[in-house]
Amino acid sequence: MTQQRDIVVAMTGASGTMYALRLVQTLLAANRSLHLIVSDAARQVAVQEHDTDLPRTGADADGWASAVRAVMASERAREWGFGENSLELKGSVQTPGLKDFSSGAASGSYLTDGMVICPCSLGTLAAVSSGQSSNLIHRAADVHLKERRKLILVPRETPLGLIALENMTRVTQAGAVVLPAMPGFYHQPRSIADLVDFVTGRICDQLSVPHTLFQRWSEPE
Ligand SMILES: Cc1cc2nc3c(=O)[nH]c(=O)nc-3n(C[C@H](O)[C@H](O)[C@H](O)COP(=O)(O)O)c2cc1C
């Protein structure tokens, strides 16, 4: 079995905090070690969408696990169809600050199994596509591209203008995977939770992390 390395998960200020929380929950349940980097705008969106303050810089796995559990146990999450939160969260978490350029994620010599920006704002997409490194999210993304490691961007915006489309083309040409928060309906979702889990599961597929978040096409029930 190959050695499992850390995964970098960045949250930025696009709508869809729940995608990120469900991803963090799934990766921690899979016993993965995470570097969680959160932009200021992502914190604003989390307050808007879930009335929640995301854990601060330096928070550990317990802090993140309890934040994820609190959102998952909220009335809104129940209305959306998320059930009992029975997943045991076993992985570990580092939460470097946005300007912590001495963090492992900022260096190419620190090996990882990849990076996900979920959700990815169009602002962060633009920064990644133009090679800016003005915060740790941009720098870590640039490192993943230059090291030819997996970088997954999960943008959410509609409609899309030419600049965003060109930026998506550019990061794809540089080796990133653009995985829009764009759930399918062919698996006959019954709830918002099913839609969230479809996108989250597709991200896990890209990271080669096993999951049971949705039923695969042609898979028997
Ligand atoms: C409630 C809320 C929802 C937002 N939704 C989106 C969105 O879906 N997509 C997007 O690209 N930007 C969205 N924005 C704007 C970004 O947060 C803004 O461009 C910010 O500068 C992004 O910064 P960041 O990339 O450092 O997180 C939203 C902002 C707020 C406050």
Side-chain angles (χ1 to χ4, degrees):
M1 197 174 121
T2 51
Q3 186 195 347
Q4 290 191 337
R5 302 185 198 280
D6 297 356
I7 296 171
V8 181
V9 178
M11 293 176 67
T12 65
S15 181
T17 299
M18 188 53 113
Y19 293 119
L21 297 182
R22 191 67 167 149
L23 179 65
V24 168
Q25 184 188 40
T26 305
L27 295 177
L28 288 181
N31 200 14
R32 300 306 301 256
S33 301
L34 308 182
H35 294 233
L36 274 163
I37 318 169
V38 183
S39 79
D40 295 338
R43 294 183 186 282
Q44 283 184 44
V45 176
V47 170
Q48 171 65 31
E49 297 187 345
H50 297 285
D51 309 308
T52 195
D53 285 321
L54 295 172
R56 295 279 143 192
T57 298
D60 61 7
D62 286 344
W64 270 93
S66 58
V68 170
R69 281 201 186 95
V71 171
M72 290 295 176
S74 68
E75 202 181 323
R76 182 158 314 149
R78 278 203 299 277
E79 284 168 2
W80 285 6
F82 287 101
E84 281 305 302
N85 184 13
S86 56
L87 286 180
E88 192 194 346
L89 305 185
K90 297 173 280 192
S92 67
V93 169
Q94 296 180 43
T95 317
L98 265 184
K99 294 288 176 183
D100 186 359
F101 295 108
S102 56
S103 157
S107 169
S109 66
Y110 189 94
L111 298 178
T112 72
D113 276 347
M115 173 173 183
V116 189
I117 307 180
C118 173
C120 183
S121 75
L122 296 189
T124 290
L125 168 71
V128 174
S129 80
S130 58
Q132 288 179 40
S133 283
S134 53
N135 70 32
L136 181 60
I137 296 173
H138 310 159
R139 168 65 187 165
D142 199 32
V143 164
H144 281 73
L145 290 178
K146 86 180 172 75
E147 299 293 335
R148 309 292 194 271
R149 280 191 227 137
K150 192 82 158 190
L151 173 66
I152 304 153
L153 272 52
V154 186
R156 200 241 57 103
E157 189 51 274
T158 196
L160 290 167
L162 181 64
I163 292 171
L165 290 166
E166 285 184 349
N167 286 338
M168 288 184 200
T169 301
R170 199 168 155 82
V171 294
T172 302
Q173 286 169 337
V177 172
V178 176
L179 193 159
M182 201 185 271
F185 288 81
Y186 56 82
H187 63 312
Q188 300 179 351
R190 295 192 184 128
S191 64
I192 293 175
D194 287 344
L195 299 175
V196 170
D197 281 356
F198 181 88
V199 172
T200 311
R202 298 299 282 137
I203 299 169
C204 290
D205 288 347
Q206 285 294 323
L207 290 167
S208 302
V209 172
H211 67 87
T212 53
L213 290 165
F214 58 75
Q215 195 186 334
R216 293 184 187 281
W217 185 246
S218 291
E219 201 175 48
E221 288 204 38

